């Protein structure tokens, strides 16, 4: 089964006198064995292209769909790369003179670059540094994309957990790699060099190089499920923040962000300890090196076990702050920690906010274009009267302004609630997405799935009100399982990506 795509010019508006977003829409259906979807500028034209991972029958491939100048995506992939059997993971980064980003392939012992503009591995695959990954056994039925790659004005960094070459278990650490500053190749002949080795505590590997598909990696913890609090790489964001702690995966996260305001990326690490997580901050020196000793370390809040920890500048001073979240079926809490010169006070949060409902999600983002961050919180709740009224669910959105002495005003500037019945389940499967600016106004729009399964957009106003009538609506003809807003063509307007079970609808602004 192959991908199917079609391009249309689409414009829709609800109401009078409202500017109309115009899109070039492509719908792609993916084959069995799909194992991930990503975006990166692969051919040097400044537009984001689609990467699709496909793994079936022991063959792993990366399919690349290049975005056209009109904003469309082709029915068939423009490039296909078949992964060799020893490749454990991959990433994307611009490391070579060829236009666009290259694929970075990680084996058990090395990282090498691969240009998708060239055919085959011979003469194309170039080693850029040596490193023994902790996870060194490839998965023949899946693709692993490493997100621990920083693209910042201070230069690219790759942070990987593993072992210095030639060393064995017990010496686990994070290796930090960057382009060589020596004016030539690094000491081992590779064009990148290691900038620091940071101890990796609380993680123990078992049966390395065992030949099994899944390597045994576990956290030293007193919990019943020792894997439940493993951390993952950051997903990244336009604001430069990242996630340290979230769902259950094997790879410990290392987030790069500016901790001291000097314009250079520093590294935030989370050590998993039996008693409580330990957060460490390693500052980047003027020469680009990282010291093994952290500049600051501290424990996370003990009162509530956090299930997410986000690095994000919440007060606009150019230094990364922390947002911790603890959540449950009946609600959750948000803990805010301001950066105090590269240090934090985990036992004394600057603010704690409580919210009712399930699926608590929080985002610190400038919504009205005034260069000050607002807090957007979404959740769903089943009212106590729901059983008597036939099963109702409320979808809630709260927006809080920056609060001066406190990070955010405890009184919401916007409180928006919608009630859905059991027959309108399509509308509550996803929260309201506030990343979009469909018309380039400098003010965010709210994207949501409606009761009938369509997607609609509503304007936020400069006083953080939410218009009741949508100015744009679209029916993709398939169930929407995810919404993403990002600028795919560099025109300053948000494009819309609708995720389906085995496919995407890609709407690129015109």
């Amino acid at each position: 089964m192959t991908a199917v795509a079609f391009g249309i010019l689409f414009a829709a508006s609800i109401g009078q006198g409202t500017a109309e977003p115009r899109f070039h829409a492509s719908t792609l259906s993916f084959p069995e064995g799909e194992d991930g979807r990503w975006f990166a500028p692969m051919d040097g034209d400044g537009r984001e292209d689609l990467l699709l991972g496909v793994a079936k029958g022991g063959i792993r491939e990366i399919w690349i769909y290049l975005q056209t100048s009109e904003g469309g995506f082709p029915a068939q992939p423009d490039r296909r790369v078949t992964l060799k059997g020893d490749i454990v993971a991959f990433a994307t980064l611009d490391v070579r003179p060829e236009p666009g980003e290259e694929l970075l392939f990680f084996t058990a012992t090395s990282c090498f670059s691969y240009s998708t503009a060239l055919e085959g591995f011979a003469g194309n695959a170039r080693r850029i540094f040596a490193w023994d990954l902790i996870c060194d056994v490839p998965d023949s039925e899946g693709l692993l994309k490493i997100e621990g790659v920083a693209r910042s004005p201070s230069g690219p960094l790759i942070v990987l957990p593993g072992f210095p070459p030639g060393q064995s278990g017990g010496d686990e650490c994070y290796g930090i790699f960057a382009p060589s500053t020596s004016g030539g190749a690094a000491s081992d002949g590779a064009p990148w060099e290691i900038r620091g080795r940071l101890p990796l505590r609380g993680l123990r590997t078992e049966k390395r190089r065992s030949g099994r598909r899944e390597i045994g990696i576990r956290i030293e913890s007193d919990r019943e499920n020792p894997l439940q609090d493993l951390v993952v790489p950051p997903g990244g964001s336009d604001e430069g923040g990242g996630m340290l702690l979230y769902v259950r995966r094997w790879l410990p996260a290392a987030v790069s962000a500016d901790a001291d305001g000097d314009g250079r990326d520093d590294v935030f690490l989370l050590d998993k300890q039996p008693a409580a997580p330990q957060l460490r901050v390693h500052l980047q020196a003027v020469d680009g090196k990282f010291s093994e000793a952290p500049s600051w370390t501290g424990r996370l809040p003990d009162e509530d076990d956090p299930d997410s920890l986000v690095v994000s500048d919440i007060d606009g001073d150019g230094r990364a702050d922390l947002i911790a979240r603890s959540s449950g079926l009946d609600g959750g809490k948000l803990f805010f920690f301001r950066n105090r010169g590269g240090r934090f006070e985990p036992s004394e949060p600057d603010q704690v906010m409580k919210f009712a409902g399930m699926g608590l999600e929080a985002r610190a983002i400038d919504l009205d274009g005034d260069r000050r961050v607002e807090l957007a919180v979404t959740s769903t709740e089943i009212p106590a009267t729901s059983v008597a009224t036939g099963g109702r669910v409320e979808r809630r959105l709260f927006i809080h302004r920056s609060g001066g002495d406190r990070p955010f005003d405890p009184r919401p500037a916007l409180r928006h609630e919608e009630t859905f019945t059991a027959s309108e389940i399509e509308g509550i499967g996803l929260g309201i997405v506030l990343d979009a600016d469909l018309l380039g106004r400098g003010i965010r729009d709210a994207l949501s799935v409606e009761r009938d399964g369509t997607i609609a957009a509503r304007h936020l106003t400069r006083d953080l009100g939410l218009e009741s009538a949508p100015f744009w609506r679209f029916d993709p003809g398939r169930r929407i399982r995810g919404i993403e807003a990002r600028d795919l063509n560099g025109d300053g307007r948000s494009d819309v990506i609708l995720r389906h079970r085995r496919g995407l609808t890609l709407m690129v602004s015109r």
Side-chain angles (χ1 to χ4, degrees), residues 9 12 17 21 36 64 116 119 159 171 217 225 241 256 274 296 298-299 306 318 360 378 427-428 431 456 474 482:
L9 302 182
I64 300 174
T116 62
E119 291 288 341
V159 185
D171 299 311
I217 300 179
N225 179 4
S256 57
W296 177 86
R299 292 177 61 176
L360 178 67
T378 59
I428 62 173
F474 178 68

Side-chain angles (χ1 to χ4, degrees), residues 412-450:
L414 171 68
R415 177 180 180 134
H416 176 74
E417 298 178 342
E418 301 170 89
T419 300
F420 297 82
T421 65
S423 61
E424 299 167 334
I425 192 66
E426 292 281 357
I428 62 173
L430 299 167
I432 297 175
V433 175
L434 294 172
D435 291 356
D437 181 4
L438 299 185
L439 298 175
R441 302 182 304 145
I443 307 175
R444 304 285 175 160
D445 302 313
L447 300 178
S448 60
V449 177
E450 302 296 279

Side-chain angles (χ1 to χ4, degrees), residues 127-131 156-159 175-197 284 287-290:
R127 195 184 77 157
I128 60 175
F129 61 80
W131 185 250
L157 295 174
I158 299 176
V159 185
I176 303 179
F177 299 89
S180 174
T181 58
S182 61
S187 58
D188 63 353
W192 280 48
E193 63 184 3
I194 189 164
R195 296 285 183 86
R197 295 183 177 91
Q284 183 177 173
D287 62 0
K289 300 296 180 63
F290 291 82

Side-chain angles (χ1 to χ4, degrees), residues 8-270:
I8 61 174
L9 302 182
F10 179 85
S13 177
I14 305 294
Q16 300 295 323
T18 302
E20 300 179 354
R22 300 179 62 84
F23 296 104
H24 190 296
S26 303
T27 297
L28 283 74
S29 296
F30 298 144
E32 295 182 7
E34 174 208 345
D35 195 47
R37 313 160 185 179
W38 309 277
F39 291 92
M42 301 302 294
D43 60 356
D45 63 4
R47 290 183 287 267
E48 298 279 306
D49 306 305
L50 171 66
L51 284 74
L52 180 72
V54 180
K56 187 176 181 181
I59 298 176
R60 301 175 298 162
E61 292 185 324
I62 297 176
W63 296 4
I64 300 174
Y65 300 80
L66 299 177
Q67 185 184 161
T68 68
S69 59
E70 294 80 19
F73 287 83
Q76 302 293 335
D78 298 275
R79 303 171 181 175
R80 291 193 185 193
V81 180
T82 301
L83 275 62
K84 290 186 175 296
D86 61 345
I87 293 174
V88 177
F90 79 98
T92 63
L93 192 65
D94 188 2
V95 298
R96 286 162 56 167
E98 289 89 350
E101 293 195 353
E102 286 76 42
L103 293 174
L104 299 183
F105 288 132
F106 301 91
T107 66
T109 59
S110 298
C111 171
F112 60 93
S113 66
Y114 178 97
S115 173
T116 62
L118 304 176
E119 291 288 341
F121 282 77
N124 185 7
R126 306 173 189 173
R127 195 184 77 157
I128 60 175
F129 61 80
W131 185 250
D132 284 359
L133 280 178
I134 277 184
C135 183
D136 55 7
V137 180
D139 182 355
S140 61
E141 299 298 329
L143 285 80
L144 174 64
K145 186 174 188 291
I146 290 180
E147 301 288 351
V149 177
R151 302 167 175 84
S152 71
S154 63
L157 295 174
I158 299 176
V159 185
L160 295 172
F163 304 83
Q167 298 189 19
S168 58
D171 299 311
E172 297 97 335
C173 65
Y174 284 95
I176 303 179
F177 299 89
S180 174
T181 58
S182 61
S187 58
D188 63 353
W192 280 48
E193 63 184 3
I194 189 164
R195 296 285 183 86
R197 295 183 177 91
L198 311 183
L200 175 57
R201 304 186 183 97
L203 184 70
R204 186 173 70 199
T205 61
E206 300 170 341
K207 299 181 180 178
R208 297 189 73 246
R209 308 193 190 285
S210 62
R212 300 185 309 166
R213 273 186 51 201
E214 297 183 1
I215 193 167
I217 300 179
R218 69 183 181 89
I219 289 293
E220 296 179 2
S221 172
D222 55 1
R223 296 177 178 274
E224 180 179 352
N225 179 4
L227 288 175
Q228 66 182 357
D229 287 328
L230 280 172
V231 289
V232 297
S237 70
D238 293 340
E239 286 69 38
M243 186 77 71
L244 275 172
L245 176 67
Y246 201 49
V247 295
R248 305 174 185 177
R249 289 190 185 176
W250 68 268
L251 185 64
V255 170
S256 57
D258 191 350
D260 56 1
D262 65 357
R264 290 184 291 269
D265 270 4
D266 309 303
V267 173
F268 290 70
L269 299 179
L270 194 65

